Amino acid sequence: MFWKFDLHMSSQLEALLEKDDVTLTELMEEEDVLQECKAQNRRLLVFLSQDTCMQELLHLITTEPPAGLEETRRFKHPNIACELLTSDVGVINDKLGGEKPLLDTLYSFLEQPPPLNPLLASFFSKTIGNLITRKTEQVISFLRGKEGFLGLVLNHINTSAMMDLLLRLISCVEPAPLRQDTLNWLNEEQLAQRLIELIHPGKDEEKQSNASQTVCDIIRLSRDQANQLQENSEADPLLAVLESQECVGQLLDNMFVGERTESCIICGTQILLTLLEIRRPGWVFYSRILKKVDGMLDACVQGHERCVNSSILQAIQPHLTHYHQLLLDPPRVNLHTHANTHLQHTHILYSLTYHSASPGPTLPLPSVPPDISTHNTLVTHLFQDCRLVQRILEAWEENDKMQAEGGMRRGYMGHLTRIANTVVCNMEKGPVHSQISSLITELLEDCKGRWETFVDQALTEINRKNTVDLVSHNLRSSSEDDDRQSPFPKELSLQQTFSDYQIQQITANFVDQFGFNDDEFSEHSDNINYAGIYTHTLWCVCLHVQAKTAAFEACTKEKIQSFDDNEEEDIWEEREINYTTHTKSRTRYTNTHTFTHLD
């Protein structure tokens, strides 16, 4: 066998390791160096764990390669070096995580001036992240002993790899007591406050965006881990600071006090939306039930929900006027950011409105007039100032015109249909139906006539199409099946019936030809002859199996001959074989049984 006789090709890597003057560069040129390292090749690991080799590997992932090399080969060795250092081999982890000089070499990457090379930064983050997971105590102790570590990381936060490093420090430290100590250390270093300071109009946009994303991830990770811990466990200090009124107030001041920039407002709003999220524990089952009460939808949530910290709402309250003003007059930089800003502002106002209507701490919003059931200023604003009815009609007619010219249907027509149905529904039985009816009555005669025609014709027709089932569940009667013209010739009807049976689809032809009466399937009959159906089906299966068995035995008896050692006939002699007679007899035999069964 292949392994028994050792026929495999000897690896070139082994030949290189036999040399006394082999270099790390020579080994890294071999294609199977990573595979052999992960397979824990003893000789290779002994070579790689030498101090000089480890220093050279770290130098490759922390130093910019020469610019004169081709781009395809420039980062080849740094990439291989990173893969070797993070191959999750115990010998390399112990060596790298247990010796301070090696950690100092790795740490020196953070001391470089910004901006960092993004690819080298990813190599560094991956290497130190692996050490945080595998050699947690040693690496955390080393980082805590480095003064200014957090400042260096935040100085390079415009590189996304630094975000990953911070998140690993928060989420990948085990056991729980060590994780809590790490969180306390990060809180003492004021990580949360320093991240909020980076979201400022005077900072680089990339740095603001990454700082905002880091804060959002910290909030979500901390809340998820808090849901998994026991009730008597110590609270997460970073989450407590981020949810505090002082921290939220500082964020809002950075956004609205002094110079305002698009990036700062968007990044800050993303953090506020994350703080206002309702995070439910994964082990609790929740269901949202929509109850229709007097024509209005009331959302009721079953189960426990994590209430929003009241300090968040109290910090947002003084800045509501700023968000309202931004909706009226947003800063215009370009179309994309303008639309994104509007969307973020809408989300934040929706979240605030939701929490004001939910149990628990609420945000004091303007009170609702007592005569809301008869008159609503917002409804008047929608129908008169925003011209809701006219804009529905214009959008619908524009779509019809485009389709009539051979164009495609507008993508928002589904939303437009829902809006129109909501108007009609509230006009008929909503809480302000009389106000809506009077507003529509006040429309111009032409517009009012177009609206009535639209509701009676176009809207009714589209609603009918939307409620049609994709698959009809109505069963055809035998008389209807008789009237249908079969798509198969009469001489093929029996074969089609048998094929229908084989694929287990009981078609109308099958029911007719096998003689089931309409009475057996009457909607008014409670007694269906299941025993008769089962007997007929079992009989069909038996006949089919018998026919197949007989045909197979006949074929084998005809073709299989006993071999006689004394026979002088050459068994390999080529002969002409004729299957025509047997095929016809077998077909005739099968059809005979089929006709017998059908009779």
Side-chain angles (χ1 to χ4, degrees), residues 162-190:
M162 297 300 109
M163 300 168 48
D164 300 335
L165 175 57
L166 288 176
L167 295 178
R168 280 187 176 273
L169 285 173
I170 294 173
S171 61
C172 297
V173 176
E174 295 292 342
L178 181 58
R179 175 182 176 275
Q180 191 64 40
D181 291 341
T182 304
L183 293 177
N184 292 333
W185 164 57
L186 294 174
N187 186 49
E188 292 171 0
E189 295 289 329
Q190 296 187 339

Side-chain angles (χ1 to χ4, degrees), residues 6 42 49 77 99 192-193 303 330 352 364 457 475 484 490 492 527 550:
D6 195 21
R42 185 182 62 82
S49 59
H77 287 172
E99 297 191 8
Q193 295 90 328
L352 293 174
Q457 298 179 7
L475 295 177
R484 291 190 304 168
K490 293 183 178 180
L492 298 179
N527 299 322

Side-chain angles (χ1 to χ4, degrees), residues 456-486:
D456 294 339
Q457 298 179 7
L459 187 61
T460 302
E461 177 64 18
I462 195 65
N463 288 335
R464 184 191 65 80
K465 291 180 179 180
N466 291 338
T467 55
V468 172
D469 294 334
L470 295 179
V471 178
S472 177
H473 299 284
N474 298 326
L475 295 177
R476 294 179 177 270
S477 63
S478 299
S479 59
E480 292 175 342
D481 292 330
D482 291 338
D483 296 336
R484 291 190 304 168
Q485 184 177 1
S486 175

Side-chain angles (χ1 to χ4, degrees), residues 403-510:
Q403 286 189 290
E405 295 175 353
M408 295 182 62
R409 183 175 184 264
R410 291 294 179 93
Y412 54 73
M413 293 305 295
H415 298 291
L416 190 63
T417 303
R418 291 189 62 183
I419 295 173
N421 283 327
T422 302
V423 172
V424 173
C425 180
N426 283 275
M427 184 177 64
E428 293 176 352
K429 51 182 178 180
V432 288
H433 62 90
S434 58
Q435 180 185 0
I436 296 177
S437 299
S438 62
L439 289 171
I440 292 180
T441 305
E442 296 173 0
L443 295 174
L444 298 176
E445 289 298 328
D446 177 63
C447 182
K448 184 168 63 175
R450 288 165 56 203
W451 171 257
E452 293 175 353
T453 304
F454 165 74
V455 172
D456 294 339
Q457 298 179 7
L459 187 61
T460 302
E461 177 64 18
I462 195 65
N463 288 335
R464 184 191 65 80
K465 291 180 179 180
N466 291 338
T467 55
V468 172
D469 294 334
L470 295 179
V471 178
S472 177
H473 299 284
N474 298 326
L475 295 177
R476 294 179 177 270
S477 63
S478 299
S479 59
E480 292 175 342
D481 292 330
D482 291 338
D483 296 336
R484 291 190 304 168
Q485 184 177 1
S486 175
F488 301 100
K490 293 183 178 180
E491 58 270 15
L492 298 179
S493 60
L494 295 178
Q495 287 85 340
Q496 177 61 31
T497 301
F498 193 68
S499 298
D500 291 342
Y501 165 73
Q502 284 183 312
I503 62 175
Q504 297 181 356
Q505 294 180 353
I506 308 302
T507 63
N509 292 334
F510 180 88

Side-chain angles (χ1 to χ4, degrees), residues 355-392:
H355 291 297
S356 298
S358 302
T362 59
L363 186 66
L365 295 176
S367 58
V368 180
D371 58 343
I372 186 67
S373 59
T374 58
H375 180 77
N376 190 321
T377 306
L378 181 59
V379 173
T380 303
H381 175 73
L382 284 174
F383 281 85
Q384 291 184 350
D385 299 338
C386 297
R387 301 174 62 252
L388 179 61
V389 172
Q390 293 90 328
R391 297 177 71 174
I392 292 175

